[in-house]
Amino acid sequence: MIWHKPDGTNISREEFDKQLDSIISRDSWIIDGNYQRTLETRIKACDTVFLFDLPTEICIEGALSRIGKKREDMPWFENELDPEFRQWIESFRANQLPEVYRLLEKYKNNREIVVFRTREQADKFIEKLV
C-alpha cells in the first residue's frame, strides 16, 4: 500500500512516483490498482498484465460489498460508498478504459496480457495454476 496514509489522506505524487520507481526496479512485484497517471510506466516495466474488465454493475456491487470491512489497501473503514468514487466507477468504462486498452495494444509485445470479463474467468484461471 503506497497511496493511502493511515489518516485517510494520500501521499504526494512525487512520493508516490518515488515509491513506484523503487517497486518496479525490483526483480518481481505486483501492483493492484488503476492509478491511471502511472499506468504506462507500470505496463512498460511489467511482464504480465491482468485486467478486470467487469461490467459497471459488478464493480459497484464489489465496492458496496467492501464497506465496513478491513482492507489491506485502506487503513480505515469505509461506512458508505463515497459518491465521488461511485461516479468514478460509473464513468470508468467511457472515460478511462479506452486508454487502458490503447496502452495494452501499444505494449502487447513481450508481455502476457490476460483480460477477465467475469469473476468466474479469473477463478478458472487461478484453478489452472494450482
Side-chain angles (χ1 to χ4, degrees), residues 13-128:
R13 285 183 173 207
E14 294 78 19
E15 181 62 24
F16 183 91
D17 292 349
K18 182 179 174 183
Q19 289 191 38
L20 177 62
D21 289 344
S22 173
I23 291 168
I24 65 176
S25 68
R26 300 175 192 162
D27 287 337
S28 62
W29 47 271
I30 297 172
I31 298 177
D32 174 32
N34 183 44
Y35 309 110
Q36 189 94 11
R37 184 181 66 80
T38 62
L39 186 59
E40 186 165 14
T41 298
R42 291 178 287 130
I43 290 174
K44 284 195 286 189
C46 75
D47 61 15
T48 307
V49 175
F50 295 100
L51 171 63
F52 283 79
D53 183 357
L54 303 176
T56 301
E57 301 77 30
I58 299 298
C59 296
I60 296 287
E61 287 173 17
L64 289 169
S65 75
R66 294 187 296 270
I67 292 173
K69 295 183 180 173
K70 182 174 176 27
R71 297 174 50 187
E72 286 296 318
D73 62 329
M74 296 179 102
W76 65 88
F77 284 93
E78 294 180 301
N79 297 320
E80 63 182 356
L81 183 58
D82 177 64
E84 187 177 320
F85 182 53
R86 183 184 189 107
Q87 180 56 45
W88 183 86
I89 295 170
E90 290 174 346
S91 64
F92 183 84
R93 184 165 296 284
N95 294 344
Q96 295 186 45
L97 192 58
E99 176 65 6
V100 172
Y101 275 110
R102 185 191 72 76
L103 290 171
L104 292 179
E105 180 64 26
K106 180 177 179 180
Y107 295 105
K108 68 182 178 186
N109 296 330
N110 302 318
R111 58 193 43 78
E112 183 177 2
I113 298 172
V114 181
V115 178
F116 301 116
R117 291 194 165 71
T118 67
R119 293 189 192 280
E120 292 76 20
Q121 286 177 336
D123 291 342
K124 287 179 183 175
F125 182 89
I126 291 171
E127 286 173 10
K128 289 180 185 178

